[in-house]
Amino acid sequence: MATSAPPIDAVHAGHGHELSFIRKYIFSTDHKIIGVQFLLLSLVGLFLGGMMAMAIRWQLGFPEGSMPLGGIFPETMVSGGVMLPEFYNSLVTMHGTFMVFFAVMPLLVGVFGNYLIPLKIGAEDMAFPRINMWSFWVAVIGTVIMMAGFWVEGGHSQAGWTQYAPLSADPQWTGVATGQQLWLLSIAVLGLSSILGATNYITTVVNLRAPGMTWFRLPLSIWSLFITAILVVLAIPILSGAAIMLFFDQTIGTSFFNATAGGQPILWQHLFWYFGHPEVYILILPAMGMVSEVIANGSRKPIFGYHSMVYAIIAIAFLGWIVWGHHMFQSGMNPTLGMTFMISTMFIAVPSAIKVFNWMGTMWRGNLTLHVPMLNAIAFVAMFVIGGLSGVYMASTPVDIYIHDTYFIVAHIHYVLFGGSLFALFAAITFWYPKMFGRMMSEAWGRVHFALTFVFFNLTFWPMHYLGLQGHMRRIYDPSQYEFLQHLSGTNRFVTISAFLLMVSQVIFAANFILSWFYGKKASENPWNDNGLEWSTPSPPPHGNWPDVPTVYRGPYEFSSPEVEEDFLPQHQKLPGDLEPEAAGRGS
Amino acid sequence: MNWLLPPGNSTFAGDIDFIYYVILVITGIAFVIVEFGLLWFVIRYRRRPGRKAYYTHGSMKAEVIWTAIPAVTVVVIGVMSGGVWNQVKGRNAAPADAMVFGLTAKQFEWNATYTGADGRLGTADDFVVRNQLHVPVDQPVLIKLATEDVIHSFFVPNLRVKQDALPGKTIDVWFEATEPGEFEIACAELCGLGHYRMRAFVTVHTADDFARWMAEQTAAAAAGE
Amino acid sequence: MAHANAAYMDPPAHREIGAGVYNEKLGMWVFLGSEVLFFTALIGSYIILRFGTPEAFAEPGGILNIPVTAVNTFLLICSSVTMVKAFAAVHDGDQKGLKLYLVATVLIGATFVSVQVFEYVQLIHEGFVPSGYVAGSHFAELAAAGELPANVNIYGSSFYTMTGFHGFHVTMGVICMVYVTIKAFQGKYTATDHRGVEVIGLYWHFVDLVWIILFTIVYLV
Ligand SMILES: [Cu+2]
Ligand SMILES: [Cu+2]
């Protein structure tokens, strides 16, 4: 090891010795353990966010009915079996908060950023393993602070996950003081965790790539995680700054967002969405990257248009900074500005379309192995397209006048975040599970879970487009208040029942996940016949990943290459004609 | 044409709906191509033993085609949308002869202010009616939208009108109703506990009806003072 | 393990060519990029609010004490100079110089923070707080007499938030600098490997630069 001058003294100080249980599994500096820790934490977040959605759906489907299990909540939340509007608003707020900040974002960035980056670029670990450990534990602190909000007096924040001021700026408007402050504090703490993590990712990808792993041999998952990390570093501090200002408005009497004292409520929206739109791409780019890996593997074909895939990721990330105003077309901002934001937003459709067509191009004339990860990855493409296309309606400013703040938006975001990111996560978790835990997940139950999720997902969210087109506002506690929404109660009930079935289907995934950990078939080093470096080391990989850093001879997608008999050709496999990276003209 | 959308009863509702249907057709075509393409590939290229996939890294021609087509399409949609946007929300979009009303939101109600006989807001003969906005048909209406507390959003589905009310600002909203009737006003922006029941009405009268209603209200307001 | 060699100041060996700098330095650059955006959020909000309500901001020197802060600004700039000197010293293998200049930097940094605390105490005493004037205070009387803006809520909000967060950054910097100084006294930095000194130096210069911007836009204009 000494010869390769490892970048990390902290980790390797303990190399070769038996680490204590605590150092090995709790306060571990190993990127793989930290990835798994993030996985377990964020699956809990995902579950909680899902349960909140169930409560929300119950209220919308059966506004008069007494809530099942309503009795377990205190009178201040559910009274006489009926959910109170205050609690409903808290649930809406926290469902969004949990799904964005405590489920999808840590699942994509925290889990797979940590797990895949060193393994796929050929590094023993992250550049800063100890900071990596801190990034996880700071996230735990953020989670605890956020959870605490449910138990404080006045309940949790009721201002929506977007926290529009002045509703969120002064306790007099919602009656929530402490819960609101905890929300803001938690987000600031979580922001620190994200920034620490992303700093690590960027440094690692730039400085620790194995010899031969040139930029254009990087797997697309790493490209997308790298670009995502840049977005995190530049977007999250904006949210932290805004959250702190709002926190001061709440606590020490500043008036940044308080119009009566000269502040500007709309400033909050600008800051929030200046962070918020890049955040949308933080929540989808890693998904796109990992889906690319799985689709190439499942199609047994090189990624179609690798370079345009990379440029599309960069273009999406770049355009993501100049479109935030599309969330504010109806906010009263300058109409000419609205026009500019419409045009820039429309253009995001272009790189998104490039990606979709390249995935299809990859499958075209392939030899499609429809394993569970591949099924979920294809579902990702199919569902992301719907979410992308429904985005065009909102991008069009006049149509947005009508559908803004309706269920059409709810449908859109769920097609992108659930149909998109979450299907990608099902693909990613099932694909890398054998590497993480050394065992295979059940293929048969994986198929059942996929089929049920796909069906009930669409039965839940497709009708929401219709609800939105009929004018159904989002975030309302009781649609039966309005004459023009009366005829939608049947649709609402249908959506609710589908949502319950969707949630129940996830039990299969949970059971498969947990039981396979103990009883799954032992996984070989490379169960999917893939090309990535992570498949060149045992499952699960040892501390330090490889005895020696591997050398890379080619790109990551050489499936069905005519040069070899098999239909895959790993990046580290040296063929007779391959030159060593130094000989091939590498500088150092 | 009223497919999927509720009836539109304002002058620009038809234009907004038209853009909606144009996008529906365009995205519908893209939807069919992609979804059925995926399905076709899954069936046509499913794994067969002994066969190897076609080894290719892509095609420049294909990339150019599927970059150019979406780019041109979104520019077309953008240009079409721009015109309607300016007509509805552009600066000074409201016709000069519009009749002026005030509408002030607060948790959780809408207070409509009427100008009284002088036709101007902010004078002594103004009067306020809670949750009732009465306007004449076929007459452009300019609403001075404000809020006393948090952000609300003035939403009349049947008129295709939606505009946030911002604390500390008065925002102009205009529309011209094309049919008499009573339409619901909803609040579209989460504004607190009673957001879900922040309901009011726009009543669109014929010209004669409106004059009569106005006379009654003005008299009542004068008597009340 | 041959860790303490010159290789550390270069990119890790046996790797693809990266940024051409060692990890800690690259990491600090990335982190500072994030800090730039954080201060952009605060400063950008200040600019927008100030343009929105110019009447809520006092004339330069009306409320804030420019001379004291000018001296403080000069001190912080001096600390950047001593920081550069410390780096130059260790680079030339001058251990004594390293220790001397690090201690000087710590002391000047701590002085800066102390003066800022003193400034806050003074302002609060005279009636300028994050929510504006304190009723019945000296400043409130001046405002009533028309010598100060009638309402300075936004001014107080942005002044305390921006300078407070800057002060917090300086404080963090001083704490890290104390850590580096202790390690310097233990002889942990050599002419070939002095990453800690260089990395804390980057942070220190950044914080200094932010202050010069803040001093200009909050105190002088
Ligand atoms: Cu956006
Ligand atoms: Cu409202």
Side-chain angles (χ1 to χ4, degrees):
Chain A
M1 284 305 310
T3 52
S4 65
I8 31 201
D9 36 357
V11 166
H12 289 266
H15 210 48
H17 310 278
E18 261 317 301
L19 290 167
S20 67
F21 179 82
I22 288 189
R23 283 295 312 280
K24 204 166 168 185
Y25 296 110
I26 311 287
F27 295 104
S28 171
T29 54
D30 184 330
H31 73 101
K32 300 183 290 298
I33 302 288
I34 295 170
V36 171
Q37 287 175 324
F38 263 116
L39 179 61
L40 301 180
L41 181 70
S42 39
L43 284 177
V44 172
L46 187 66
F47 172 75
L48 291 175
M51 289 312 284
M52 291 177 209
M54 293 305 105
I56 291 168
R57 275 321 314 177
W58 173 267
Q59 173 60 30
L60 291 170
F62 306 93
E64 289 88 35
S66 100
M67 189 181 158
L69 297 178
I72 63 171
F73 295 100
E75 277 290 299
T76 50
M77 295 177 180
V78 179
S79 178
V82 179
M83 186 189 294
L84 298 173
E86 296 92 319
F87 186 47
Y88 179 86
N89 285 354
S90 278
L91 284 174
V92 166
T93 304
M94 299 319 293
H95 168 67
T97 304
F98 263 75
M99 287 311 197
V100 170
F101 293 108
F102 297 92
V104 177
M105 192 172 162
L107 276 169
L108 289 169
V109 185
V111 177
F112 288 100
N114 262 311
Y115 201 86
L116 293 184
I117 289 175
L119 273 172
K120 272 190 159 304
I121 66 171
E124 302 96 326
D125 206 313
M126 286 286 178
F128 312 114
R130 214 148 352 143
I131 290 179
N132 208 18
M133 177 190 85
W134 275 107
S135 142
F136 173 73
W137 285 103
V138 171
V140 172
I141 296 171
T143 312
V144 170
I145 297 175
M146 189 59 87
M147 288 302 297
F150 281 106
W151 282 275
V152 296
E153 203 187 321
H156 221 314
S157 168
Q158 298 175 13
W161 84 277
T162 49
Q163 298 282 313
Y164 275 16
L167 185 66
S168 56
D170 193 326
Q172 66 168 309
W173 306 127
T174 58
V176 181
T178 319
Q180 180 63 46
Q181 290 155 20
L182 288 174
W183 192 97
L184 295 166
L185 205 61
S186 167
I187 289 301
V189 170
L190 209 63
L192 181 64
S193 157
S194 301
I195 291 167
L196 291 179
T199 304
N200 222 335
Y201 298 172
I202 293 172
T203 309
T204 307
V205 173
V206 171
N207 263 7
L208 297 185
R209 282 166 294 123
M213 184 61 91
T214 56
W215 283 101
F216 283 111
R217 281 179 184 170
L218 271 187
L220 289 172
S221 54
I222 303 305
W223 260 112
S224 60
L225 284 163
F226 176 66
I227 300 291
T228 300
I230 294 175
L231 291 181
V232 168
V233 161
L234 300 179
I236 298 285
I238 304 282
L239 177 69
S240 305
I244 286 164
M245 286 189 262
L246 191 51
F247 183 77
F248 286 162
D249 274 9
Q250 279 264 347
T251 49
I252 60 168
T254 61
S255 35
F256 290 108
F257 308 117
N258 183 356
T260 48
Q264 296 189 16
I266 202 150
L267 175 63
W268 168 266
Q269 294 183 32
H270 279 292
L271 290 169
F272 185 85
W273 291 116
Y274 188 74
F275 142 81
H277 198 88
E279 169 72 14
V280 170
Y281 294 131
I282 293 169
L283 297 172
I284 197 76
L285 284 180
M288 290 175 160
M290 294 190 293
V291 158
S292 304
E293 310 290 339
V294 175
I295 286 191
N297 176 290
S299 306
R300 314 310 294 167
K301 250 190 83 193
I303 274 287
F304 199 90
Y306 171 88
H307 282 80
S308 43
M309 287 297 243
V310 173
Y311 297 137
I313 294 171
I314 296 171
I316 290 175
F318 176 77
L319 286 171
W321 290 103
I322 51 170
V323 299
W324 79 92
H326 62 208
H327 298 268
M328 301 166 60
F329 286 149
Q330 319 312 331
S331 70
M333 82 180 176
N334 182 335
T336 319
L337 214 55
M339 196 86 120
T340 322
F341 279 122
M342 165 169 73
I343 298 298
S344 56
T345 302
M346 288 277 181
F347 270 105
I348 288 195
V350 177
S352 309
I354 292 174
K355 295 204 74 85
V356 168
F357 287 124
N358 277 314
W359 285 317
M360 294 180 74
T362 307
M363 288 167 65
W364 169 71
R365 294 184 67 184
N367 196 20
L368 267 54
T369 315
L370 298 173
H371 46 54
V372 174
M374 180 68 172
L375 289 172
N376 283 292
I378 296 172
F380 165 91
V381 179
M383 298 298 100
F384 172 75
V385 165
I386 298 175
L389 291 173
S390 65
V392 178
Y393 295 74
M394 286 150 233
S396 166
T397 42
V399 179
D400 184 70
I401 295 173
Y402 180 59
I403 60 175
H404 180 72
D405 271 334
T406 67
Y407 261 79
F408 197 88
I409 310 294
V410 180
H412 164 76
I413 189 161
H414 285 91
Y415 265 91
V416 178
L417 270 189
F418 192 144
S421 306
L422 212 50
F423 270 109
L425 278 163
F426 287 137
I429 293 172
T430 48
F431 192 69
W432 280 288
Y433 188 95
K435 188 53 63 183
M436 289 178 164
F437 300 103
R439 290 179 187 271
M440 305 298 290
M441 284 176 88
S442 158
E443 185 79 7
W445 284 111
R447 280 169 198 280
V448 174
H449 166 254
F450 164 75
L452 292 176
T453 305
F454 187 78
V455 169
F456 291 129
F457 165 79
N458 279 293
L459 291 182
T460 303
F461 294 106
W462 185 264
M464 286 188 186
H465 291 111
Y466 174 70
L467 291 175
L469 291 175
Q470 292 293 309
H472 195 312
M473 296 81 75
R474 58 193 282 214
R475 293 170 165 177
I476 56 168
Y477 161 75
D478 182 5
S480 70
Q481 294 282 327
Y482 287 87
E483 203 61 50
F484 78 102
L485 299 178
Q486 292 299 338
H487 69 290
L488 298 174
S489 62
T491 314
N492 258 325
R493 206 158 300 145
F494 178 82
V495 167
T496 294
I497 292 167
S498 307
F500 287 167
L501 293 170
L502 179 61
M503 186 75 191
V504 170
S505 309
Q506 304 316 307
V507 174
I508 300 173
F509 181 80
N512 195 354
F513 186 95
I514 295 166
L515 293 178
S516 301
W517 199 338
F518 299 100
Y519 307 112
K521 198 168 84 210
K522 280 250 184 304
S524 64
E525 200 171 279
N526 188 4
W528 309 109
N529 290 340
D530 199 64
N531 297 334
L533 292 181
E534 77 272 34
W535 306 107
S536 68
T537 173
S539 308
H543 199 58
N545 297 342
W546 297 270
D548 282 303
V549 168
T551 302
V552 173
Y553 298 98
R554 61 184 57 76
Y557 303 114
E558 292 302 297
F559 291 103
S560 300
S561 161
E563 289 184 63
V564 286
E565 192 68 22
E566 305 83 40
D567 64 355
F568 65 110
L569 178 52
Q571 286 189 278
H572 62 278
Q573 186 176 319
K574 190 176 184 195
L575 291 183
D578 287 333
L579 295 174
E580 288 302 323
E582 281 83 358
R586 201 165 67 90
S588 79
Chain B
M1 195 161 67
N2 258 314
W3 191 55
L4 288 175
L5 299 171
N9 299 318
S10 64
T11 46
F12 48 63
D15 301 314
I16 291 177
D17 294 359
F18 177 71
I19 305 260
Y20 166 77
Y21 291 116
V22 169
I23 298 177
L24 185 65
V25 170
I26 293 173
T27 55
I29 293 169
F31 173 84
V32 168
I33 292 174
V34 174
E35 303 295 349
F36 285 88
L38 283 171
L39 194 62
W40 168 243
F41 286 177
V42 166
I43 296 165
R44 172 73 181 74
Y45 301 117
R46 71 189 179 283
R47 184 173 201 92
R48 286 187 214 113
R51 196 172 63 103
K52 239 180 168 179
Y54 171 54
Y55 179 76
T56 173
H57 284 95
S59 144
M60 196 58 202
K61 209 163 109 192
E63 301 293 338
V64 170
I65 291 172
W66 58 53
T67 306
I69 292 179
V72 172
T73 313
V74 295
V75 168
V76 170
I77 296 176
V79 169
M80 288 179 69
S81 302
V84 179
W85 173 247
N86 267 337
Q87 177 202 338
V88 181
K89 291 223 174 173
R91 277 189 190 290
N92 314 317
D97 63 334
M99 193 181 275
V100 181
F101 295 83
L103 188 65
T104 304
K106 73 175 202 196
Q107 284 181 336
F108 300 97
E109 60 189 54
W110 302 91
N111 289 309
T113 310
Y114 297 85
T115 57
D118 63 354
R120 283 163 54 198
L121 282 174
T123 51
D125 64 343
D126 290 1
F127 62 91
V128 176
V129 182
R130 185 166 170 267
N131 287 339
Q132 296 286 341
L133 178 64
H134 289 254
V135 299
V137 73
D138 296 328
Q139 155 73 40
V141 163
L142 176 64
I143 292 174
K144 299 281 182 187
L145 183 66
T147 167
E148 286 178 18
D149 39 43
V150 300
I151 297 176
H152 301 273
S153 191
F154 172 60
F155 179 31
V156 191
N158 291 78
L159 300 177
R160 305 290 188 271
V161 168
K162 186 179 287 133
Q163 176 60 55
D164 287 4
L166 265 187
K169 268 197 175 173
T170 301
I171 298 172
D172 287 356
V173 184
W174 84 276
F175 62 83
E176 181 179 340
T178 53
E179 252 169 85
E182 196 185 54
F183 307 112
E184 281 175 295
I185 299 173
C187 178
E189 188 68 75
L190 179 65
C191 59
L193 172 65
H195 166 58
Y196 70 98
R197 54 176 161 79
M198 194 165 155
R199 175 176 177 240
F201 295 93
V202 184
T203 309
V204 179
H205 295 277
T206 59
D208 293 349
D209 255 1
F210 182 74
R212 205 170 310 127
W213 183 87
M214 208 49 169
E216 278 168 25
Q217 294 294 319
T218 313
E225 270 158 20
Chain C
M1 289 192 183
H3 276 171
N5 63 22
Y8 252 137
M9 300 302 288
D10 298 323
H14 197 57
R15 299 283 173 188
E16 263 313 303
I17 301 161
V21 294
Y22 58 91
N23 292 342
E24 288 81 353
K25 195 168 172 182
L26 177 59
M28 183 49 86
W29 277 115
V30 174
F31 179 71
L32 291 182
S34 187
E35 292 282 68
V36 168
L37 269 290
F38 178 79
F39 280 104
T40 302
L42 299 187
I43 295 173
S45 300
Y46 165 75
I47 292 171
I48 290 167
L49 290 167
R50 185 154 179 181
F51 273 107
T53 42
E55 69 279 5
F57 290 81
E59 293 291 307
I63 288 180
L64 304 176
N65 188 337
I66 294 181
V68 168
T69 312
V71 171
N72 215 16
T73 306
F74 176 71
L75 279 179
L76 198 62
I77 294 172
C78 287
S79 78
S80 255
V81 175
T82 54
M83 190 66 235
V84 170
K85 289 269 189 196
F87 178 73
V90 70
H91 197 78
D92 298 339
D94 172 10
Q95 289 288 329
K96 227 176 104 199
L98 170 69
K99 289 177 217 166
L100 177 70
Y101 285 116
L102 280 179
V103 169
T105 313
V106 168
L107 290 179
I108 301 174
T111 310
F112 176 87
V113 176
S114 312
V115 172
Q116 204 179 11
V117 169
F118 169 77
E119 181 197 14
Y120 275 24
V121 170
Q122 283 290 312
L123 287 172
I124 292 169
H125 182 73
E126 290 183 87
F128 182 62
V129 293
S131 53
Y133 297 123
V134 177
S137 65
H138 171 60
F139 282 141
E141 280 164 18
L142 285 178
E147 287 174 37
L148 285 175
N151 177 326
V152 288
N153 305 34
I154 296 295
Y155 191 29
S157 303
S158 36
F159 167 76
Y160 280 103
T161 305
M162 285 193 296
T163 57
F165 262 94
H166 180 267
F168 173 72
H169 276 77
V170 179
T171 311
M172 286 294 128
V174 170
I175 291 171
C176 296
M177 194 76 75
V178 167
Y179 174 75
V180 169
T181 309
I182 292 171
K183 282 184 68 168
F185 273 88
Q186 292 168 347
K188 294 276 167 66
Y189 300 112
T190 63
T192 46
D193 183 1
H194 43 264
R195 287 168 293 158
V197 181
E198 191 177 15
V199 168
I200 189 71
L202 287 176
Y203 177 83
W204 196 255
H205 296 317
F206 167 78
V207 170
D208 195 358
L209 189 71
V210 170
W211 180 253
I212 291 168
I213 295 169
L214 285 183
F215 180 62
T216 311
I217 64 172
V218 176
Y219 289 80
L220 298 184
V221 296

